Amino acid sequence: MEELRRSYHRDLDQARADLALLAAKVAELIPIGTAVLLDGDLEGAERVIKGDSEIDSRATALEEQCVEILSLQAPVAGDLRQVLALFKMVADIERSADLVANICKATRRIYGHELDPRLRGIISRMGEQAQALYVAAIEALRENDAAKAAAVDDMDAYLDALQKQFISTIFETQAEGDIDLQVAVQLAMVARFYERIGDHAVNMSERVLYIVTGKVPDHSKPKRAKMVLGDDLAPLSGSEGGVSGT
């Protein structure tokens, strides 16, 4: 019986480690997708899009690991919470990789169009902050750190504010005739992709809180109020929100 328990915990630790590695892979993809977009790198875009199938396969394998642990080991209490949370996080990671691929697909659609320096700057900051959220969520997972997990939502507020500023700047540049409507629409979608990546990182951090505290995330509540543009975004060129401006 003792050997069975040791084997069970080895399987659980392995699933947790594999999930953290997959999440780290997605965290590495975010700046790659941002560079692809800013550089108009069609070859890079194709590599990211094709590579998404590997992440899908690894995500499927992770889900199967979790199902096997549930079916063969019948975990209870804290161990059960951990398996269920890991299973849920797989979907967030897989969808985040899809969103990076979507950024690369948008790159193909706007290829040949120069981006206003204001837009390029905000894209860079959105990419940096989205990656920072992911890294924070991974650290919280690896360390079972409830405090780090709780801080991810505050970091997401900064990314939400960047998205709003980006949309406002798109309207300005489109009104000035610097970009056509189709490019404006694609860029608005790109901003949404970054915002959704942040949301998935928040979801992951909430799963960590569930593992540590047993508190079930309440997704019936409306998403917290977004920051109002203005003073909240004053430090864009500084380091507030967890990322330095460039």
Side-chain angles (χ1 to χ4, degrees):
M1 179 63 72
E2 187 62 31
E3 177 56 34
L4 284 175
R5 294 301 297 171
R6 283 198 293 268
S7 174
Y8 159 61
H9 282 292
R10 281 196 300 269
D11 291 344
L12 187 55
D13 289 344
Q14 186 62 56
R16 187 189 186 95
D18 289 347
L19 184 115
L21 284 173
L22 187 59
K25 173 65 175 177
V26 173
E28 292 171 359
L29 280 177
I30 295 169
I32 293 173
T34 300
V36 161
L37 177 65
L38 292 176
D39 297 342
D41 181 0
L42 295 184
E43 290 184 5
E46 192 65 20
R47 284 195 298 272
V48 173
I49 293 166
K50 287 184 175 179
D52 188 52
S53 59
E54 178 190 347
I55 292 178
D56 290 343
S57 297
R58 290 172 64 180
T60 299
L62 261 171
E63 287 179 335
E64 291 172 352
Q65 278 179 261
C66 291
V67 170
E68 185 173 342
I69 291 171
L70 285 170
S71 60
L72 297 181
Q73 303 290 353
V76 295
D79 288 342
L80 177 59
R81 290 204 307 268
Q82 186 168 178
V83 178
L84 292 175
L86 294 177
F87 186 86
K88 288 279 192 180
M89 279 190 269
V90 174
D92 284 307
I93 294 168
E94 188 272 330
R95 288 167 188 162
S96 297
D98 289 343
L99 290 163
V100 178
N102 286 344
I103 291 169
C104 293
K105 291 174 184 177
T107 299
R108 297 191 302 197
R109 298 185 186 109
I110 66 172
Y111 181 74
H113 294 271
E114 286 293 324
L115 297 181
D116 185 283
R118 293 170 292 176
L119 295 173
R120 294 178 65 85
I122 303 172
I123 288 170
S124 292
R125 289 193 288 273
M126 286 192 296
E128 290 168 352
Q129 190 65 3
Q131 185 186 36
L133 263 78
Y134 240 81
V135 169
I138 294 167
E139 289 178 353
L141 170 66
R142 283 176 169 158
E143 299 168 19
N144 257 359
D145 192 320
K148 284 186 178 180
V152 174
D153 191 55
D154 291 334
M155 296 173 67
D156 187 47
Y158 183 73
L159 181 56
D160 290 338
L162 284 172
Q163 183 208 13
K164 285 187 174 183
Q165 189 192 40
F166 189 66
I167 296 300
S168 177
T169 306
I170 289 172
F171 283 138
E172 291 173 8
T173 54
Q174 206 273 325
E176 293 164 1
D178 292 335
I179 56 174
D180 61 35
L181 181 59
Q182 180 60 27
V183 174
V185 170
Q186 290 298 321
L187 290 176
M189 292 300 298
V190 164
R192 175 62 173 163
F193 298 150
Y194 281 116
E195 190 265 341
R196 288 297 296 145
I197 290 171
D199 286 347
H200 286 303
V202 171
N203 288 346
M204 291 169 61
S205 69
E206 289 178 344
R207 313 289 183 205
V208 173
L209 286 171
Y210 172 61
I211 291 171
V212 176
T213 68
K215 182 179 178 181
V216 179
D218 185 1
H219 296 296
S220 65
K221 293 180 180 178
K223 186 172 172 62
R224 52 151 171 74
K226 307 292 188 181
M227 288 201 303
V228 178
L229 294 178
D231 292 341
D232 290 320
L233 279 177
L236 279 181
S237 60
S239 59
E240 242 178 74
V243 173
S244 299
T246 56

